[in-house]
Amino acid sequence: MKHLYSLRPRAHRYYRYTSFWVIFFGLTLPLAFAHPAFAQESPSVALVKPAGVDTNAISIGGTVIPYRSVTVAAQRAGRITALYARTGMMLQFNQPVAALDDDVLRQQIDGIKAELKAAQSDLDYAIFSMPGMDSAGGMMGAMMGAMFGAPGGSGVDAWLARVNRINQARARIDQLKAQERALQAQVGYGAVTAPMDGIVTRRLVEAGEIVQAGQPLIEMAYVSRLRAQFDIPVDLAQGVAPGRPFTLKTSDGRLIPVSVGEVAPGVDPRTHTQQVKVDLPPQSGLRLGDYVELLLARAGAASTGSVVIPAAALLRGSALPMVQVVTGDGTFKIMIVRVAERLPDGQLLISAGLSAGDVVKVQP
C-alpha cells in the first residue's frame, strides 16, 4: 500500500506533461499547415464585364455653365449710395440692385425749372405787349392795326418782330421742358434693378465708389436651367448638331442623357476646336462650375459586344494577347483576344475573343 501511494505523484506529473503537449500541438499544427508554404495556392479570377458607354466613347472634359448670364452695368455716372446685391443672392426681375446719388441732377432740374418760369414770363410779355391786345378786337385787331395803321410798312415790321419774339419764347420753353425730361430720366437711371431672375455670381463694386456710365456692377446667372460647355476637336465635332442626343458623365460616375443646345458656327483657329453647349435636364444635381465629360462615339470601337477585363489577365511572355478562361469543370483554356485599347483605370477593352460573363484568370 505504501508503494502504491508513492506512485501517485509520479502519475500525476506524467498526466500533466502529456496534456500540455496535446494542447500545444493541437493549436500550432493547424496554423502551421495554413502557412502559404503548406497551402496550395488558389488562382485569382475576374468576371468579364460588358463594356459600358464610357468605355466605348471618347471623353471630352467641360464645365457646367448657366443657361444665360448677364452683366448689370451703371447707366450713368455717380456715386453708389447703396448696394443691395450680394454674391450668391437670388434676385427677382426688377428687384433693386444698387442706387446712385442724384444730388447734382436735382440741382440741374431746379435750374431748368427756374429758366422755364423766366421763359414763360417772356412769352406772356411778348403776347400781351402787342398793340391792341388789351382791346376787344384782340389779336385780329392788333394785326390789322399793325398792317394798315402806319405808312411805309413800319407797323407790319413791328408786328412781325413781336410774332417772332413769341415763337422764340415758345421754342425756348419746349427746349427747357425736354432738358427737364432728360434729367428726370437720368435720375431714374440711378435706381439699378435686376434685368431677370437669377443668382449673383460676382459683385464688382462696393458702396461708396464712384462709377462711370457703362461700368459693370454685378454679374448674374439664370440657373433655373443649366448647360455644359465643351471645346471639341474638329475631327470629333463632325455630325454634332443642335438637338442631337449624347451622354454626359459626372465626376461621381453618373451618366446623364443630354441634347445639344448650341454649336458655334466657326472653329477656333488657335486650338482647332469647336464650342458646343448641351442642355442639362432639370434636377441633374449639378452646380455651376462642376466638371463633366461628354462621351463621343469612339472611331473603330465596336458599339456592341466589347468587354473589359483587368490588364493583369493577359498572359505574360506570349507573342499574341491571350488569357486563361475558366471552363465548366474548373480547368483553364487559353483564348486569343483582340485588345482594342488600354483604359486609364487599368482595364483592357476587348473587342473580340471573350463574351460578357466569362471568367478569366488574373495572373499573379
Side-chain angles (χ1 to χ4, degrees), residues 21-37:
W21 288 111
V22 169
I23 295 174
F24 174 79
F25 285 111
L27 294 175
T28 57
L29 285 178
L31 296 177
F33 284 104
H35 192 273

Side-chain angles (χ1 to χ4, degrees), residues 99-281:
L100 305 179
D101 72 309
D102 54 7
D103 296 340
V104 176
L105 293 175
R106 295 291 183 185
Q107 294 175 3
Q108 293 176 354
I109 291 175
D110 292 341
I112 293 294
K113 289 181 177 180
E115 292 185 33
L116 273 172
K117 290 181 180 180
Q120 185 64 46
S121 178
D122 290 343
L123 176 61
D124 295 341
Y125 177 78
I127 292 176
F128 292 103
S129 64
M130 293 185 68
M133 285 299 297
D134 54 348
S135 63
M139 179 66 75
M140 184 59 68
M143 181 179 66
M144 296 300 294
M147 293 178 64
F148 303 104
S154 59
V156 175
D157 293 340
W159 181 83
L160 291 176
R162 288 186 175 90
V163 170
N164 184 48
R165 184 177 176 183
I166 292 173
N167 291 335
Q168 289 180 352
R170 287 174 175 169
R172 176 60 177 166
I173 290 175
D174 292 340
Q175 182 182 14
L176 291 174
K177 287 182 177 180
Q179 292 179 5
E180 182 183 11
R181 288 193 297 269
L183 290 174
Q184 292 288 1
Q186 290 292 320
V187 171
Y189 292 155
V192 184
T193 58
M196 65 176 185
D197 296 343
I199 188 172
V200 180
T201 55
R202 289 183 64 191
R203 191 168 76 168
L204 306 174
V205 294
E206 296 294 337
E209 293 186 26
I210 297 177
V211 296
Q212 302 299 321
Q215 181 175 341
L217 304 179
I218 64 170
E219 293 179 357
M220 291 184 61
Y222 179 75
V223 293
S224 296
R225 296 177 60 186
L226 295 176
R227 279 181 165 178
Q229 179 176 302
F230 304 90
D231 293 324
I232 302 178
V234 178
D235 56 341
L236 297 177
Q238 297 179 3
V240 177
R244 181 176 175 180
F246 282 98
T247 300
L248 196 74
K249 185 178 181 181
T250 64
S251 58
D252 56 359
R254 292 184 295 120
L255 299 179
I256 301 176
V258 296
S259 61
V260 177
E262 183 179 321
V263 179
V267 177
D268 190 329
R270 296 172 300 174
T271 61
H272 301 287
T273 57
Q274 194 169 8
Q275 189 178 92
V276 175
K277 297 179 181 179
V278 300
D279 296 331
L280 301 180

